[in-house]
Amino acid sequence: MSTVRVYESSDTDPALLQARRVAIVGYGSQGHAHALNLHDSGVDVVVGLRPDSPTRERVEGDGLATATVADAVASADLVSILIPDAGQRRLYETEVAPNLKDGGALLFAHGFNIHYRQIEPRASVDVIMVAPKAPGAMVRREYEAGCGVPGLIAVHQDSTGQARDVALAYADALGCTRAGVIETTFKDETETDLFGEQAVLCGGVSALIRAGFDTLTGAGYAPELAYFECLHELKLIVDLIQSGGLSGMRAEVSDTAEYGDYVGGPKVIGADSRRAMEELLLEIQSGDFADRWIRDGQCGHPEFGRLRDEARGDPLDTVGRDLRARMAWL
Ligand code: NDP
Ligand code: MG
């Protein structure tokens, strides 16, 4: 059994953040949620944006202070780097590092750049992670509803002796302690996050949908029917799984579906797929996946661009667009 400790609000000291100014760099998915939740929790927040940012008006309309990234960092005790991972190293070197206070804290919502040594902060700053386990829109929505989403915290570097407590206070201000906060490491968060998105959440699910759709249409069934069975209904099942686990889902579907789950699933995801998952994990642990992704980024993403182009014009998307246009709630 797991011995992981789950932190709640009573385990945190909100005063630790009340004494600090927080610079949120970036106002996208995570950035807007962190900035607004912290602000509503009584924290002094400034949002750092690039000079020509199209987002400045929106941030000011949301009632928050804005500054250039350099000025926001220079004025802050804690700096949250919430721009896309691929741009963080450059931004860190040019705007953040030269302006970061000694004794200040650098916060990430994902461990990639620290774990794979793309960013190597000097020893005089704390380096922490607070990673909500949800997209930013949900982090904000749940906070406004008086709830929260679960979160992870981690400490990479503790120069002040307060790094962990500051991370906990930040997770509390974000609303994450309302749903439980778990302590991990930059290494484990990064490796499990990459594995999850590749093997299951994004890669695995896309390939499963694709293969199911191709099998049905290849056998002559209508693409619309294949779309409903292999893609559209997935959400209904995933909702059941999220609220009740696999057993909760199996209790809700028909007995025929449950029986088919037991006999069919292991044939589809069998020994070959498990071996492929182990290979993915090894590539993540060795740093080979990160090297490939970073090198592609350094030359303007030629491989990523090609893969994106190849994915466009997929028959699944064409059928889906027409069917979704009739679903008023979408
Ligand atoms: P977004 O793509 O939503 O970030 C967009 C924001 O970053 C915009 O405000 C944009 O500025 C700003 N930005 C981009 N490049 C620069 C730059 N060079 N200089 C200054 N600002 C820049 O990022 P996410 O919120 O998706 O990701 C942020 C971090 O959170 C990542 O580390 C990610 O791994 C992590 N994370 C993300 C989750 C998610 O659900 N998205 C979940 C958990 C963690 P402008 O407004 O000017 O265009
Ligand atoms: Mg993730």
Side-chain angles (χ1 to χ4, degrees):
M1 277 314 284
S2 171
T3 54
V4 164
R5 174 160 174 207
V6 180
Y7 292 94
E8 295 171 358
S9 196
S10 56
D11 301 313
T12 71
D13 178 6
L16 278 175
L17 268 200
Q18 308 298 337
R20 287 171 163 81
R21 179 162 226 237
V22 174
I24 305 284
V25 182
Y27 202 71
S29 174
Q30 288 295 317
H32 94 284
H34 289 226
L36 290 169
N37 290 9
L38 262 63
H39 175 75
D40 289 351
S41 295
V43 179
D44 179 17
V45 169
V46 57
V47 177
L49 297 169
R50 36 190 166 197
D52 53 346
S53 174
T55 313
R56 179 160 283 106
E57 251 177 67
R58 181 181 159 212
V59 184
E60 288 168 0
D62 287 344
L64 300 173
T66 62
T68 62
V69 176
D71 288 346
V73 171
S75 75
D77 307 290
L78 188 160
V79 178
S80 300
I81 308 289
L82 298 175
I83 73 163
D85 296 297
Q88 290 182 5
R89 179 184 184 155
R90 205 184 135 73
L91 182 88
Y92 178 77
E93 286 169 356
T94 56
E95 312 279 323
V96 178
N99 297 297
L100 194 58
K101 275 185 200 169
D102 282 334
L106 201 55
L107 182 146
F108 295 86
H110 176 39
F112 190 98
N113 284 304
I114 291 291
H115 177 60
Y116 292 116
R117 299 180 180 283
Q118 296 305 291
I119 295 177
E120 298 188 277
R122 58 183 192 272
S124 56
V125 296
D126 290 349
V127 181
I128 58 181
M129 171 166 46
V130 176
K133 291 282 94 186
M138 189 171 173
V139 175
R140 180 60 183 157
R141 186 169 9 101
E142 289 300 305
Y143 179 93
E144 286 186 293
C147 310
V149 303
L152 303 177
I153 60 154
V155 174
H156 172 70
Q157 196 164 283
D158 185 4
S159 96
T160 63
Q162 290 192 309
R164 197 167 146 281
D165 291 338
V166 169
L168 274 174
Y170 189 103
D172 186 54
L174 257 186
C176 292
T177 47
R178 297 167 181 170
V181 171
I182 288 170
E183 185 167 6
T184 182
T185 60
F186 274 68
K187 174 181 187 292
D188 285 4
E189 186 275 340
T190 303
E191 292 175 353
T192 56
D193 189 78
L194 291 174
F195 177 80
E197 65 202 17
Q198 291 177 26
V200 182
L201 305 174
C202 306
V205 166
S206 300
L208 191 66
I209 292 171
R210 151 103 287 127
F213 180 85
D214 288 350
T215 303
L216 284 179
T217 54
Y221 295 97
E224 291 78 5
L225 213 56
Y227 180 89
F228 278 122
E229 293 307 326
C230 300
L231 187 148
H232 176 78
E233 288 193 35
L234 186 63
K235 170 161 172 32
L236 313 176
I237 297 298
V238 167
D239 284 348
L240 293 172
I241 294 173
Q242 192 185 48
S243 59
L246 291 176
S247 58
M249 177 274 285
R250 285 167 175 156
E252 288 289 326
V253 300
S254 70
D255 285 351
T256 318
E258 185 184 356
Y259 175 71
D261 169 343
Y262 300 136
V263 300
K267 287 189 192 161
V268 174
I269 309 291
D272 286 351
S273 296
R274 285 171 181 262
R275 243 190 319 279
M277 285 191 180
E278 284 162 14
E279 280 165 25
L280 286 183
L281 185 57
L282 285 174
E283 285 166 18
I284 290 165
Q285 291 169 329
S286 68
D288 287 353
F289 169 79
D291 282 348
R292 178 172 162 185
W293 172 231
I294 291 162
R295 261 186 285 115
D296 194 55
Q298 283 164 349
C299 27
H301 283 308
E303 185 193 24
F304 185 34
R306 177 175 53 74
L307 293 169
R308 248 190 190 160
D309 286 344
E310 284 168 13
R312 258 192 278 273
D314 191 313
L316 246 176
D317 271 342
T318 323
V319 190
R321 202 172 318 120
D322 296 343
L323 291 174
R324 287 192 299 271
R326 297 168 188 277
M327 300 182 210
W329 72 91
L330 298 178

